[in-house]
Amino acid sequence: MRIEANYAKAAQFIHEAARQGAQLAVLPEYHLTNWIPEDPNFSHLCGQWEFYLNKYRTLAKEHNICIVPGTIVERHEDEQTKEQKLINVAYFIDNEGQLLGRYQKKNLWHPERPHLTSSTHDPHEVIQTPLGPIGLLICWDLAFPEAFRELITAGAKIIIIPTFWTRSDCSPYGLSINPQTETLFLDSVLTARAFENTCAVIFVNAGGPAGSSHPHSNYAGLSRVAVPFLGALGGETRDSSVEGMSVVDLDMRHVEEAEANYKVREDLAREDWYYIYRRGRTSGRETL
């Protein structure tokens, strides 16, 4: 949990992205602290969240680049219980260092639930940015199409997903029949989400050092931009589990042409659209 060293490395990547003309830099989930909630120092480091968020705001302004600084785990006092709680948050910072929006992780992965507080029923909100309307999701949110639907029906055209996803997230059974199960999951779902929502998906996952003997080699990596018609972009990282950076030229015409062809958003906007989710269904009837 070398938080200052991790920030310095992230700042180097952002500097290089800006030097290459990028308008947006996105970092992975847990990039500052890693995910080691049982460590007695973890909660203390999460108390420094605002200090590092402000450092990213300064960095964005200095380099004239928008930044989604992965996720930052924040420690807060619960208003009702007065106990300390941890939340996992992604921010969108514009190229002038302004905070344009935030998102608290909703769908927590099972091992996270004893440690993090979910945003539960808070709505997914679209952020208006210099790059267009954007939605933020985090890691396991990827598995829930409803999150994407809520964002695109509100107008989002780019979905950004900082992630900490490893190959060992699969069960022993799944790994026994396919050691690359998580790679298959990510390859399949990311492209599907781009097509079925006529949007661009910016997926930035943690990568580890090269070498299968290293304990971090189970990181899945595979950071990419998924778009309709083309699938995965990002030649440096899209097929790699090694820490690195891809600079991707995202042509939003692909998104507009996909919608013109598939008309997903158009159908979702219809008042007589067929699908709606309801809790408490009994005997084939819906209870509200």
Side-chain angles (χ1 to χ4, degrees), residues 129-151:
T129 80
L131 308 177
I134 282 175
L136 294 173
L137 297 175
I138 300 171
C139 198
W140 189 232
D141 288 326
L142 175 65
F144 296 87
E146 298 86 351
F148 287 79
R149 286 292 197 242
E150 190 167 329
L151 285 168

Side-chain angles (χ1 to χ4, degrees), residues 208-225:
S212 59
S213 62
H214 194 283
H216 290 173
S217 63
N218 68 337
Y219 287 174
L222 308 177
S223 296
R224 64 191 57 196
V225 177

Side-chain angles (χ1 to χ4, degrees), residues 11 13-14 30 59 79 91 98 104 112 136 141 147-148 159 170 193 204 207-208 214 232 241 270:
F13 278 123
I14 291 170
Y30 300 136
L59 203 61
E79 293 180 359
Y91 288 90
Q98 298 300 308
Q104 179 183 339
E112 294 174 324
L136 294 173
D141 288 326
F148 287 79
I159 310 296
C170 186
R193 295 289 179 267
V204 179
H214 194 283
S241 62
R270 287 168 40 193

Side-chain angles (χ1 to χ4, degrees), residues 4-148:
E4 186 58 34
N6 290 337
Y7 169 78
K9 180 176 286 189
Q12 290 176 354
F13 278 123
I14 291 170
H15 172 78
E16 178 59 21
R19 190 190 68 80
Q20 295 188 39
Q23 296 177 285
L24 169 67
V26 182
L27 299 170
E29 184 182 23
Y30 300 136
H31 71 284
L32 287 174
T33 58
N34 206 311
W35 175 244
I36 315 175
E38 296 85 0
D39 190 293
N41 201 36
F42 185 80
S43 179
H44 168 72
L45 292 178
C46 295
Q48 302 178 38
W49 67 270
E50 196 167 14
F51 173 75
Y52 284 98
L53 177 60
N54 287 331
K55 292 188 77 166
Y56 281 119
R57 294 180 66 181
T58 300
L59 203 61
K61 187 173 182 179
E62 287 177 351
H63 292 293
N64 190 33
I65 189 172
C66 299
I67 300 175
V68 174
T71 70
I72 300 175
V73 182
E74 302 177 7
R75 190 182 70 199
H76 295 272
E77 182 181 272
D78 188 280
E79 293 180 359
Q80 295 181 341
T81 67
K82 304 303 179 183
E83 296 180 352
Q84 297 295 307
K85 67 177 182 179
L86 299 179
I87 60 175
N88 191 15
V89 183
Y91 288 90
F92 191 99
I93 305 169
D94 75 6
N95 59 314
E96 296 181 347
Q98 298 300 308
L99 293 177
L100 299 189
R102 69 188 289 278
Y103 167 66
Q104 179 183 339
K105 189 173 185 179
K106 186 179 300 296
N107 295 293
L108 302 179
W109 180 232
H110 310 290
E112 294 174 324
R113 295 175 189 177
H115 308 283
L116 296 178
T117 298
S118 166
S119 61
T120 61
H121 298 294
D122 291 349
H124 291 280
E125 296 181 343
V126 173
I127 304 168
Q128 300 302 325
T129 80
L131 308 177
I134 282 175
L136 294 173
L137 297 175
I138 300 171
C139 198
W140 189 232
D141 288 326
L142 175 65
F144 296 87
E146 298 86 351
F148 287 79

